[in-house]
Each structure stands twice: as C-alpha cells, then as structure tokens.
Amino acid sequence: MSRGELADFLRRRREALRPEQMPAAAVHPPGRRARRTPGLRREEVAALAGVSANYYERLEQARAPRPSAQVLAALGTALRLTAAEREHLARLAGQSPAAREPDRAPVPADARMLLDRLGSIPAYLTDERQDIVAWNRAAAALIIDFGRLPAEERNAVRLSIRLGGTFCSAPAGAEGGFARQAAAQLRAAGARYPAERVLGELVNEFAAHSPEFAASWRDHDVRPVPTLRKRLHHPELGELDLDCQTLLVPGTDLRLVLYTAQPGGASAAALARLAT
C-alpha cells in the first residue's frame, strides 16, 4: 500500500469535483461556513461514502490503515471515479496485488502476424514502459526505422523528446495529447509494478521536457486516451493529419498503436504512397 500516493490521489479527485454536481443535501448542510475553495470538503466526501469524517481525513493525511474493498467501492462512487480510476485506487490501496516485475515474454506470434497483415497501416507494439517492441514496415517508413536505434532509444517517450515538434504536433482544436496519454499509462504501470526503476526514470525525463506531462502526472490522470489527433511532419510527404489509436492486446501489457487517415483525404493518399 502506498499511503502517500493514495492520499494525494484522493485529495486531487476530491478537489476536482464541483459542489453543483453533487446532491444538495450532501454538500450544503445548514449553517455551514461559506465555501472558499473549489471542490468538495473532506466531510462531504465522507458523508457521501458513508465513512466517518475522521477516517477519511486520516486517509488524505496518509495516516489511516488499508481501506477495505467495500470502503474503496464507496469512495469510488462518492468521488465519481471512472473504471480506470477505480482500478488505480485499488492498486494504490493494496487491494490489487502489485507484480514484482513485468513479464518479459517474447511478443506473441499472433501479435506480430497482425502487424504484418495491417499492410499500409503504420502500427507498432509498446509494453508497459513505452518500449517499442515490434513494428511493421509502414511504421518504420512513416516515423523512423526503429531497428536502427539503440534499444534504450526504442521508446515512445524518449522518441517524443528526441523528435519533438520537428516530427509531430497537435492540430488546432485537438483534444488530449501524447503527454497526457503517456502520463496515464505510466501511472497505471507504476502502480502495478512499483519496483520497476525504469518507469521512474522515464517519468523524470518526460516531466522535465513536457509541462503537460508533469501536470497530468501530478493530477494522477489515469483515464485512457484511446484516440489522438496528430499532425506529422514527414520529410518526403509533408504534413499529414492522422488519427493515432491505441488498443490493449488482451492478456498482455502490450498496446497496439495504429496511425490512420480519413478516407479520401490527402493524408490517406500520402499513406498509400508511403506503402509503395
């Protein structure tokens, strides 16, 4: 159980809630002082979760014993957590056992076969550390020839730092972002594998490089970002507006990352030329 991380996660989720989202009787008890800060008060969350205010206060102060599964479920409902946030809460509280180290099994043959069958769709596989462990020819042509990189640089986070805006940016109005996605995935991996030293190194590297990542990391943002809009700057094909989709490979820590374009557009035509 990580009491400090659990306390920080609960506090940030409580402060992110707005009183107007909650039942009036729970957040505006008669005779209370005027609200000075955004978010709910500790005693309000405690009332919504059906626990004592003193116990909840000790949870946020990292002084309480491990909460039960029933208490975590009640807190998840009170704080309106998503499924990903509930899972993260359970891991922080020690209800979902942490693994000692990631499974370094070879990439499954069927996953490699899928990459090859995607043909002109650039795609690669990443593990829990964001290491790029397999890719197809289209991905090497679109992004970089991963096979020529040293193993330690074959990492999505480190490539983002290295390539930066010369390779990829977000189109105007695009929501989310790789930094937020990386923060969510590394947070979840860190809770699952707390002894994994490389995860901490990646967090420190990217936080120093990206204010957006640092803010998402501080906020314990673990919500998945399944689709990103990216504008890629290719040296031969020019600017490409692409959707970057991430899918979890069942039964593994692997994620399949695919780049696609809107059919009929210039970017789709460029991807087709890339394949030839």
Side-chain angles (χ1 to χ4, degrees):
M1 173 178 171
S2 175
R3 285 188 173 88
E5 291 285 290
L6 174 62
D8 192 46
F9 179 73
L10 291 173
R11 178 177 61 82
R12 290 184 181 274
R13 287 298 166 272
R14 172 177 60 82
E15 292 177 348
L17 289 173
R18 293 295 174 263
E20 57 269 21
Q21 297 175 308
M22 314 307 291
V27 298
H28 296 293
R32 290 308 305 265
R33 65 188 183 279
R35 192 176 299 274
R36 296 180 180 179
T37 58
L40 300 186
R41 302 185 180 102
R42 288 173 175 170
E43 59 267 32
E44 292 170 340
V45 172
L48 288 166
V51 300
S52 74
N54 177 264
Y55 175 70
Y56 183 78
E57 181 178 6
R58 286 188 292 132
L59 277 175
E60 282 203 9
Q61 293 173 345
R63 296 188 298 112
R66 176 186 297 179
S68 67
Q70 291 79 5
V71 168
L72 292 178
L75 289 173
T77 300
L79 295 170
R80 298 197 170 188
L81 302 184
T82 65
E85 289 170 333
R86 285 174 183 263
E87 181 180 352
H88 186 65
L89 175 64
R91 291 195 184 281
L92 293 179
Q95 291 293 345
S96 294
R100 296 190 61 182
E101 60 183 25
D103 182 9
R104 296 300 177 200
V107 176
D110 56 351
R112 289 188 180 274
M113 189 181 302
L114 174 61
L115 283 176
D116 292 337
R117 288 179 176 175
L118 287 171
S120 62
I121 299 176
Y124 55 82
L125 290 167
T126 62
D127 63 11
E128 79 293 333
R129 297 193 307 198
Q130 300 293 301
D131 286 342
I132 298 169
V133 296
W135 57 92
N136 61 11
R137 292 177 62 185
L142 175 68
I143 304 172
I144 193 169
D145 187 352
F146 302 113
R148 296 190 178 187
L149 293 175
E152 64 274 12
E153 292 185 24
R154 210 175 296 150
N155 177 278
V157 169
R158 291 193 170 118
L159 278 175
S160 175
I161 296 172
R162 172 181 167 180
L163 298 176
T166 61
F167 171 71
C168 178
S169 61
E175 297 180 355
F178 175 75
R180 180 190 150 200
Q181 181 190 61
Q185 292 179 356
L186 291 176
R187 266 286 182 195
R192 186 172 183 181
Y193 305 109
E196 179 68 15
R197 175 181 55 83
V198 176
L199 291 173
E201 294 174 355
L202 284 171
V203 169
N204 291 335
E205 286 181 41
F206 207 16
H209 169 79
S210 168
E212 182 185 359
F213 175 88
S216 293
W217 181 264
R218 286 193 302 270
D219 289 343
H220 288 261
D221 193 349
V222 294
R223 294 167 296 175
V225 186
T227 304
L228 302 175
R229 298 303 305 273
K230 289 187 176 183
R231 175 163 293 155
L232 272 61
H233 314 289
H234 194 273
E236 298 176 6
L237 302 177
E239 289 193 347
L240 307 175
D241 287 325
L242 303 176
D243 290 330
C244 178
Q245 297 165 311
T246 302
L247 305 173
L248 185 64
V249 179
T252 73
D253 285 330
L254 300 177
R255 287 177 169 82
L256 175 65
V257 182
L258 309 97
Y259 287 82
T260 60
Q262 292 293 322
S267 295
L271 284 184
R273 293 199 303 274
L274 189 70
T276 60

